[in-house]
Amino acid sequence: VSAGDVFIKRFKAQPLPCKTLSIVTTKGNNEWHNDDNDGVVTVTSQLWYKDDPLFKSTKVSCNHFEILLADVPVEIIDKTLRCKT
């Protein structure tokens, strides 16, 4: 999937339908990407909706795969749900 993919273009053209929390992974830096990335996707792409008032994000120093095994996303989600933000 690339930035020019039809699906991605359609997705980006849609506003967020509800409050959204993005856990942005920042560690990895695959040299094939020109921008900062998590080894798979760019940080910029993870922050695409940053100007949308329904969008919140938090950066985590994990790569694209480490985040699946880390405790920190569970803690972030739990905290978010408890605060009802």
Side-chain angles (χ1 to χ4, degrees):
V1 177
S2 71
D5 186 78
V6 173
F7 171 79
I8 297 297
K9 286 181 179 180
R10 284 186 194 153
F11 183 80
K12 288 181 173 181
Q14 300 298 314
L16 290 173
C18 61
K19 289 182 180 179
T20 301
L21 172 65
S22 180
I23 299 173
V24 179
T25 47
T26 61
K27 186 176 128 187
N29 286 322
N30 180 334
E31 60 191 43
W32 293 354
H33 287 293
N34 293 330
D35 297 328
D36 290 340
N37 64 82
D38 69 358
V40 177
V41 296
T42 64
V43 172
T44 301
S45 69
Q46 296 177 72
L47 294 170
W48 176 258
Y49 286 105
K50 69 180 188 282
D51 296 327
D52 189 306
L54 295 174
F55 182 81
K56 283 185 140 189
S57 67
T58 186
K59 292 183 179 179
V60 176
S61 183
C62 288
N63 70 32
H64 196 80
F65 303 103
E66 292 170 336
I67 197 70
L68 299 174
L69 302 173
D71 291 330
V72 72
V74 174
E75 294 164 4
I76 292 167
I77 293 166
D78 184 56
K79 182 180 175 185
T80 301
L81 292 175
R82 288 180 192 277
C83 293
K84 297 180 181 161
T85 59

